[in-house]
Amino acid sequence: MIKIAPSVLSADFCRLGAEAAEIKAAGGDWLHVDVMDGLFVPNISIGLPVLKSLRQATDMFLDAHLMIDRPLRYARRFCEAGADLVNVHVEADSEENIRKAIAAIKECGKLAGVTIKPATPAEAIVPFLVMTVEPGFGGQRFMADQLPKLRRVRGLIDQAAGDCLLEVDGGVDESTAPLCAEAGADVLVAGSAVFGKADRAAAIRAIRENCRKT
Ligand code: DX5
Ligand code: ZN
């Protein structure tokens, strides 16, 4: 069954613990944590101390999306801070260093993910997280032109028969979610489509229901 990962980028940062509890009660599967450094992307969001606090506040699966330059520098520390999955961008360093970052995450006993921006071809690496907006900001419009890439990645994963989840991030809401599900996504990140609604449970349910219909 498809997993829904509400992105705390759209949460109220003053009450993150309560927001996490609400998302858990509302039926969210993972919490997606967007880390931005102002260099790899033009925005700055949150980092290690916030992830650490969040880890203490919730037992939800924490999916850290590192939108930072040279993620090898911090991969291990995000694991130690309590992330369950650490996603790094292939564009953020040399292939060798990205491989080292993945190895470091795995050594910590955590799941490792690689992420590609909209302009990066599927073949860059067998990727796990496909961006359907330019990374950096919540609330952007879904890029439907990324759907063929999603399908292509699904094919690559199935061919490799690897134990690997395909995650989609950006502009996912109740109308674009079924398109992603149909193209082979396993995990959907949704920021504004969940946190922007007063009734988060209804928002998550609507996304899940619409995916089921595909
Ligand atoms: C964008 C982030 C996303 C963002 C998604 O750079 O990676 O995780 O929070 O927000 P929505 O779902 O509002 O596009
Ligand atoms: Zn993200």
Side-chain angles (χ1 to χ4, degrees), residues 10 20 48 73 96-97 105 114 123 129 136 139 160 162 166 177 213:
S10 297
L48 284 162
R73 298 173 298 150
E96 191 194 344
N97 284 341
I105 298 162
V114 278
E123 287 73 13
L129 171 59
L166 174 53
K213 289 180 204 146

Side-chain angles (χ1 to χ4, degrees), residues 7 9 32-36 63-67 89 115 129 131 135 167 169-170 189:
S7 164
L9 189 63
H32 184 84
V33 184
D34 286 305
V35 179
M36 305 179 183
D63 166 21
H65 177 192
L66 304 191
M67 283 164 272
H89 268 269
T115 308
L129 171 59
M131 294 300 302
E167 186 175 6
D169 185 7
V189 177

Side-chain angles (χ1 to χ4, degrees), residues 176-193:
T176 55
L179 304 175
C180 299
E182 192 272 323
D186 299 304
V187 184
L188 303 177
V189 177
S192 40

